[in-house]
Amino acid sequence: MSDDLIRVLLADDHPVYREGLAMLLASIPGIEVVGTAANGREAVERAAELQPDIVVMDVTMPELDGIEATRRVVEDSPHIGVVVLTMSEEDSTLFAAMRAGARGYLLKGASQAEITRAIVAVAHGEAIFGPAVALRVAEFFAGPSPASQLTAFPQLTPRERDILSLVAAGRSNAQIASTLFLSQKTVRNNVSNIFAKLHVADRAEAIVRARDAGLGRT
């Protein structure tokens, strides 16, 4: 990302939606739409060619679905952030996208402000979910974990486990600090320690690891 200009590639098989979104984003200062793709295979090829900061990726596309396209884009160019923009509200699709390396997940119908916020956040290394999706993630991780799950991540301290649970529920560092009555610096340091101990790069990977370990509702 040069001079704070976020370069975006749009991948969606519906030409009207794709071009409409391209026009919308092109009107936003600080965002440049550098290309579009009509299917998953083209998205992978154009991402390799154009090296955008962000790929906005649909899930259901011909030739190569968006989940596999996301995996290939991230494998080929780990610095590219993928924001999934889809009609699918299924938990299986959400977590499959995150496992593939997506750092954002929005439902189609999201407002211009939500899409812009997601692109900017992911470009700066954050993981972000649309409000409806964030609620689903929070619900999954809500409530006490069964006793069998308490053995997950023995390398974490009790405080780190509490913080990981809140990270997994989509809480920001500021929200975690408020919930646990800690300073934001303390939370930030603990989050860094968690990432190091779990060998993950960001919040999206931490959420996937927490879910795969069985933290949350069964």
Side-chain angles (χ1 to χ4, degrees):
M1 190 167 56
S2 60
D3 299 325
D4 294 326
L5 183 65
I6 302 173
R7 303 171 67 251
V8 178
L9 170 68
L10 303 178
D12 195 295
D13 63 325
H14 294 284
V16 174
Y17 184 85
R18 184 176 65 244
E19 297 308 320
L21 182 58
M23 291 178 61
L24 181 151
L25 292 178
S27 69
I28 299 172
I31 292 179
E32 178 187 7
V33 178
V34 295
T36 62
N39 59 65
R41 193 172 304 281
E42 186 180 3
V44 174
E45 293 171 352
R46 300 226 68 195
E49 171 194 353
L50 297 171
Q51 291 294 300
D53 300 301
I54 299 292
V55 176
V56 176
M57 184 83 73
D58 191 12
V59 169
T60 306
M61 291 189 291
E63 296 195 34
L64 192 69
D65 67 73
I67 301 299
E68 179 60 18
T70 294
R71 186 186 67 77
R72 295 189 190 185
V73 167
V74 173
E75 279 188 355
D76 293 344
S77 304
H79 62 280
I80 296 178
V82 177
V83 176
V84 170
L85 185 60
T86 178
M87 295 292 293
S88 177
E89 299 184 53
E90 296 295 324
D91 290 347
S92 59
T93 305
L94 164 63
F95 289 108
M98 292 172 64
R99 281 194 193 88
R103 298 179 198 162
Y105 196 101
L106 301 177
L107 299 180
K108 286 186 175 179
S111 68
Q112 175 180 336
E114 289 169 345
I115 295 172
T116 303
R117 185 162 53 247
I119 288 171
V120 172
V122 172
H124 288 87
E126 293 293 320
I128 192 165
F129 308 95
V133 177
L135 179 60
R136 295 173 72 87
V137 173
E139 287 174 346
F140 181 90
F141 287 98
S145 298
S148 62
Q149 296 173 3
L150 297 179
T151 57
F153 308 124
Q155 68 271 45
L156 301 184
T157 67
R159 173 180 285 178
E160 288 169 347
R161 286 178 57 83
D162 289 342
I163 290 174
L164 175 59
S165 294
L166 292 169
V167 167
R171 303 294 191 269
S172 67
N173 284 357
Q175 291 170 324
I176 294 171
S178 176
T179 299
L180 298 181
F181 302 100
L182 300 171
S183 70
Q184 290 193 45
K185 180 179 179 180
T186 297
V187 172
R188 190 163 56 247
N189 290 340
N190 276 271
V191 168
S192 295
N193 290 340
I194 291 167
F195 289 179
K197 289 180 178 181
L198 299 188
H199 305 290
V200 299
D202 55 31
R203 294 173 104 85
E205 286 190 50
I207 291 171
V208 171
R209 287 290 306 280
R211 183 184 189 277
D212 288 346
L215 297 181
R217 293 177 176 173
T218 57

